[in-house]
Amino acid sequence: MLSWSNLSKTPWSQLPSFIFTFLSFLPHISWASEWIGYSSDGYATMTHYSLPENFIAACGCTSTSTDYPTAAMNQMAYGSSTSYGPACGQCFNLTLLNSFLSNPPFYPNVTKSVVIKVTDLCPLSHSGWCNATTHGPNAGSHYLNFDLAWPSSSIPNDFFPSNEPLYGYTDFGVWNISYQSVSCTNWKGWNNAAALGSVVNLGYSACCPNNPAVSHTNDTCPSYSDDSGIPYVPFRSFLEKKILTVCTAKRPDTQTSGFAISSPISLLPIVTLAVSLVSHVL
């Protein structure tokens, strides 16, 4: 590959080679989504984040849903990089097993579980707990992470066990958990009609089925990214980062934390960048 410092000295005879080298980066951009498939029960990690009450999260579930236990799911299992995805509206029973980061691990004496409804996404990042892809798990060796909205008026303040005298703190931050897909009739918000369904007239489409786990397949949300032509784009090189920085436009922020590609990529900025680079040759 040509070094950047020698671009101005590149002879015309090497121009086709330079252009070919530049274009060779484009296949690294994955134009198809690589969402994580997962079983109806298994093991995952759990983190928690602050979600204000009456907040409308990525799925577009009603604001009243925040009065009951909700969680975000890691992007590549959620099935979209922005807005709604197949995980939206799904309900899971989450059971605490042991703390992950503490040394030694903490095993609670009492088994604690909570049934949550997925209303939000936890964006893909290079590190952290929502960075699992089909190519590898997160730091806890799991492909799923549930980011619990907590503290919450619907979840006891002492939901997460602790042993402050031994560890010197009360919040372990990350837990190993087991999860089980369940009917949303087990969710605390099931008997409140205002907590079910999607917000009307959001300005963009929302998708939050009442009980997709036991519904017909066509009641499960599609991937907003796939439907809107927004690709899953892993960062693999410095040049790709620069290209994607130029090509990515901002969308409304409905995400929890971290970083994710949330916009379609246009070839025009890429071509413009290529022309700019070629101008150094000329």
Side-chain angles (χ1 to χ4, degrees):
M1 176 179 171
L2 300 175
S3 66
W4 298 108
S5 61
N6 291 329
L7 282 176
S8 60
K9 300 177 183 179
T10 304
W12 277 96
S13 62
Q14 295 186 26
L15 179 57
S17 176
F18 170 76
I19 295 176
F20 177 81
T21 300
F22 173 79
L23 294 178
S24 68
F25 282 96
L26 297 184
H28 291 290
I29 299 177
S30 175
W31 298 99
S33 302
E34 298 179 9
W35 310 122
I36 294 172
Y38 54 90
S39 61
S40 59
D41 57 81
Y43 298 95
T45 50
M46 178 195 281
T47 50
H48 62 78
Y49 75 115
S50 297
L51 182 69
E53 289 191 355
N54 300 315
F55 184 83
I56 300 173
C59 294
C61 301
T62 67
S63 60
T64 307
S65 65
T66 61
D67 294 340
Y68 304 97
T70 64
M73 183 181 281
N74 57 302
Q75 177 179 312
M76 302 312 292
Y78 177 91
S80 180
S81 60
T82 189
S83 202
Y84 56 77
C88 287
Q90 304 277 356
C91 291
F92 294 89
N93 182 54
L94 309 179
T95 301
L96 300 177
L97 298 179
N98 64 277
S99 61
F100 181 80
L101 296 174
S102 62
N103 186 19
F106 173 72
Y107 292 86
N109 294 324
V110 178
T111 300
K112 292 194 174 184
S113 300
V114 61
V115 174
I116 60 89
K117 190 174 184 70
V118 175
T119 64
D120 205 357
L121 75 89
C122 185
L124 180 67
S125 60
H126 288 290
S127 58
W129 303 99
C130 293
N131 66 332
T133 69
T134 54
H135 304 296
N138 64 15
S141 299
H142 296 300
Y143 286 89
L144 265 65
N145 183 78
F146 293 91
D147 204 11
L148 182 69
W150 186 85
S152 168
S153 59
S154 63
I155 303 174
N157 290 333
D158 63 352
F159 173 73
F160 290 104
S162 63
N163 186 338
E164 187 173 9
L166 176 61
Y167 294 95
Y169 52 86
T170 58
D171 188 353
F172 291 110
V174 184
W175 285 79
N176 287 316
I177 66 168
S178 62
Y179 72 87
Q180 180 183 15
S181 178
V182 298
S183 168
C184 287
T185 57
N186 296 294
W187 182 55
K188 284 186 177 180
W190 179 253
N191 293 319
N192 185 349
L196 300 173
S198 309
V199 176
V200 179
N201 298 325
L202 268 183
Y204 61 91
S205 296
C207 186
C208 188
N210 292 348
N211 198 10
V214 294
S215 300
H216 297 294
T217 303
N218 60 3
D219 287 335
T220 300
C221 297
S223 168
Y224 182 87
S225 289
D226 287 349
D227 280 3
S228 303
I230 302 174
Y232 155 55
V233 184
F235 285 147
R236 293 196 182 102
S237 72
F238 175 79
L239 177 57
E240 284 172 343
K241 285 185 182 181
K242 293 302 181 184
I243 292 174
L244 294 176
T245 299
V246 172
C247 299
T248 302
K250 252 190 164 180
R251 293 183 61 83
D253 182 13
T254 59
Q255 302 172 337
T256 54
S257 60
F259 179 82
I261 296 298
S262 57
S263 308
I265 294 179
S266 169
L267 284 177
L268 179 59
I270 297 179
V271 173
T272 302
L273 179 58
V275 172
S276 176
L277 293 174
V278 170
S279 67
H280 288 283
V281 178
L282 304 180

PDB file of all heavy atoms in Angstrom, residues 22 38 103 142 161 180 188 207 226 248 266 282:
ATOM      1  N   PHE A  22      -7.360   1.989  -2.776  1.00  0.00           N
ATOM      2  CA  PHE A  22      -8.387   2.680  -2.007  1.00  0.00           C
ATOM      3  C   PHE A  22      -9.698   1.917  -2.039  1.00  0.00           C
ATOM      4  O   PHE A  22     -10.344   1.685  -1.015  1.00  0.00           O
ATOM      5  CB  PHE A  22      -8.595   4.094  -2.561  1.00  0.00           C
ATOM      6  CG  PHE A  22      -9.756   4.812  -1.931  1.00  0.00           C
ATOM      7  CD1 PHE A  22      -9.641   5.391  -0.677  1.00  0.00           C
ATOM      8  CD2 PHE A  22     -10.978   4.873  -2.588  1.00  0.00           C
ATOM      9  CE1 PHE A  22     -10.709   6.034  -0.090  1.00  0.00           C
ATOM     10  CE2 PHE A  22     -12.048   5.528  -2.008  1.00  0.00           C
ATOM     11  CZ  PHE A  22     -11.917   6.105  -0.765  1.00  0.00           C
ATOM     12  N   TYR A  38     -30.023 -16.266  19.270  1.00  0.00           N
ATOM     13  CA  TYR A  38     -29.882 -16.780  20.628  1.00  0.00           C
ATOM     14  C   TYR A  38     -31.085 -17.666  20.968  1.00  0.00           C
ATOM     15  O   TYR A  38     -32.159 -17.548  20.382  1.00  0.00           O
ATOM     16  CB  TYR A  38     -29.752 -15.643  21.643  1.00  0.00           C
ATOM     17  CG  TYR A  38     -30.864 -14.624  21.596  1.00  0.00           C
ATOM     18  CD1 TYR A  38     -32.010 -14.765  22.367  1.00  0.00           C
ATOM     19  CD2 TYR A  38     -30.765 -13.503  20.768  1.00  0.00           C
ATOM     20  CE1 TYR A  38     -33.029 -13.844  22.323  1.00  0.00           C
ATOM     21  CE2 TYR A  38     -31.787 -12.566  20.705  1.00  0.00           C
ATOM     22  CZ  TYR A  38     -32.916 -12.740  21.496  1.00  0.00           C
ATOM     23  OH  TYR A  38     -33.929 -11.804  21.439  1.00  0.00           O
ATOM     24  N   ASN A 103     -13.731  -9.542  43.227  1.00  0.00           N
ATOM     25  CA  ASN A 103     -12.759 -10.584  43.551  1.00  0.00           C
ATOM     26  C   ASN A 103     -12.723 -10.753  45.068  1.00  0.00           C
ATOM     27  O   ASN A 103     -12.262  -9.880  45.784  1.00  0.00           O
ATOM     28  CB  ASN A 103     -11.372 -10.211  43.027  1.00  0.00           C
ATOM     29  CG  ASN A 103     -10.371 -11.347  43.221  1.00  0.00           C
ATOM     30  OD1 ASN A 103     -10.754 -12.493  43.412  1.00  0.00           O
ATOM     31  ND2 ASN A 103      -9.091 -11.006  43.184  1.00  0.00           N
ATOM     32  N   HIS A 142     -20.341 -13.955  27.094  1.00  0.00           N
ATOM     33  CA  HIS A 142     -21.736 -14.129  26.719  1.00  0.00           C
ATOM     34  C   HIS A 142     -22.073 -13.285  25.493  1.00  0.00           C
ATOM     35  O   HIS A 142     -21.469 -12.232  25.264  1.00  0.00           O
ATOM     36  CB  HIS A 142     -22.664 -13.745  27.875  1.00  0.00           C
ATOM     37  CG  HIS A 142     -22.513 -14.624  29.080  1.00  0.00           C
ATOM     38  ND1 HIS A 142     -22.732 -15.984  29.040  1.00  0.00           N
ATOM     39  CD2 HIS A 142     -22.155 -14.339  30.366  1.00  0.00           C
ATOM     40  CE1 HIS A 142     -22.524 -16.506  30.240  1.00  0.00           C
ATOM     41  NE2 HIS A 142     -22.169 -15.532  31.057  1.00  0.00           N
ATOM     42  N   PRO A 161     -28.142  -7.757  45.444  1.00  0.00           N
ATOM     43  CA  PRO A 161     -27.531  -8.064  46.747  1.00  0.00           C
ATOM     44  C   PRO A 161     -26.110  -7.504  46.816  1.00  0.00           C
ATOM     45  O   PRO A 161     -25.462  -7.247  45.800  1.00  0.00           O
ATOM     46  CB  PRO A 161     -27.513  -9.595  46.768  1.00  0.00           C
ATOM     47  CG  PRO A 161     -28.467 -10.024  45.702  1.00  0.00           C
ATOM     48  CD  PRO A 161     -28.420  -8.962  44.657  1.00  0.00           C
ATOM     49  N   GLN A 180     -34.650 -16.388  30.664  1.00  0.00           N
ATOM     50  CA  GLN A 180     -35.656 -17.275  30.089  1.00  0.00           C
ATOM     51  C   GLN A 180     -36.713 -16.415  29.411  1.00  0.00           C
ATOM     52  O   GLN A 180     -37.267 -15.489  30.017  1.00  0.00           O
ATOM     53  CB  GLN A 180     -36.302 -18.137  31.166  1.00  0.00           C
ATOM     54  CG  GLN A 180     -37.366 -19.102  30.631  1.00  0.00           C
ATOM     55  CD  GLN A 180     -38.023 -19.894  31.746  1.00  0.00           C
ATOM     56  OE1 GLN A 180     -37.919 -19.565  32.918  1.00  0.00           O
ATOM     57  NE2 GLN A 180     -38.726 -20.956  31.384  1.00  0.00           N
ATOM     58  N   LYS A 188     -45.049  -7.128  35.087  1.00  0.00           N
ATOM     59  CA  LYS A 188     -45.870  -6.337  36.007  1.00  0.00           C
ATOM     60  C   LYS A 188     -46.783  -5.349  35.284  1.00  0.00           C
ATOM     61  O   LYS A 188     -47.844  -4.984  35.801  1.00  0.00           O
ATOM     62  CB  LYS A 188     -44.969  -5.570  36.985  1.00  0.00           C
ATOM     63  CG  LYS A 188     -44.377  -6.413  38.097  1.00  0.00           C
ATOM     64  CD  LYS A 188     -43.617  -5.537  39.081  1.00  0.00           C
ATOM     65  CE  LYS A 188     -43.067  -6.361  40.247  1.00  0.00           C
ATOM     66  NZ  LYS A 188     -42.328  -5.503  41.216  1.00  0.00           N
ATOM     67  N   CYS A 207     -42.260   0.238  17.173  1.00  0.00           N
ATOM     68  CA  CYS A 207     -42.707  -1.156  17.176  1.00  0.00           C
ATOM     69  C   CYS A 207     -42.493  -1.749  18.558  1.00  0.00           C
ATOM     70  O   CYS A 207     -41.356  -1.940  18.985  1.00  0.00           O
ATOM     71  CB  CYS A 207     -41.952  -1.965  16.120  1.00  0.00           C
ATOM     72  SG  CYS A 207     -42.548  -3.660  15.922  1.00  0.00           S
ATOM     73  N   ASP A 226     -32.298  -3.038   8.869  1.00  0.00           N
ATOM     74  CA  ASP A 226     -32.419  -3.790   7.623  1.00  0.00           C
ATOM     75  C   ASP A 226     -33.470  -3.166   6.709  1.00  0.00           C
ATOM     76  O   ASP A 226     -33.273  -3.042   5.501  1.00  0.00           O
ATOM     77  CB  ASP A 226     -32.785  -5.248   7.917  1.00  0.00           C
ATOM     78  CG  ASP A 226     -31.616  -6.039   8.493  1.00  0.00           C
ATOM     79  OD1 ASP A 226     -30.483  -5.529   8.463  1.00  0.00           O
ATOM     80  OD2 ASP A 226     -31.839  -7.157   8.988  1.00  0.00           O
ATOM     81  N   THR A 248     -21.167   9.264   7.962  1.00  0.00           N
ATOM     82  CA  THR A 248     -22.228   9.014   8.913  1.00  0.00           C
ATOM     83  C   THR A 248     -22.917  10.304   9.315  1.00  0.00           C
ATOM     84  O   THR A 248     -22.275  11.210   9.812  1.00  0.00           O
ATOM     85  CB  THR A 248     -21.672   8.321  10.185  1.00  0.00           C
ATOM     86  OG1 THR A 248     -21.047   7.110   9.779  1.00  0.00           O
ATOM     87  CG2 THR A 248     -22.795   8.017  11.160  1.00  0.00           C
ATOM     88  N   SER A 266     -23.685   6.619   2.477  1.00  0.00           N
ATOM     89  CA  SER A 266     -23.828   7.015   1.088  1.00  0.00           C
ATOM     90  C   SER A 266     -22.493   6.871   0.388  1.00  0.00           C
ATOM     91  O   SER A 266     -21.449   7.171   0.946  1.00  0.00           O
ATOM     92  CB  SER A 266     -24.302   8.477   1.023  1.00  0.00           C
ATOM     93  OG  SER A 266     -24.206   8.954  -0.299  1.00  0.00           O
ATOM     94  N   LEU A 282      -2.199  14.299  -8.157  1.00  0.00           N
ATOM     95  CA  LEU A 282      -2.092  15.231  -9.275  1.00  0.00           C
ATOM     96  C   LEU A 282      -1.245  16.438  -8.909  1.00  0.00           C
ATOM     97  O   LEU A 282      -0.657  17.077  -9.752  1.00  0.00           O
ATOM     98  CB  LEU A 282      -3.498  15.680  -9.695  1.00  0.00           C
ATOM     99  CG  LEU A 282      -4.470  14.529 -10.059  1.00  0.00           C
ATOM    100  CD1 LEU A 282      -5.813  15.103 -10.446  1.00  0.00           C
ATOM    101  CD2 LEU A 282      -3.893  13.685 -11.175  1.00  0.00           C
TER     102      LEU A 282
END
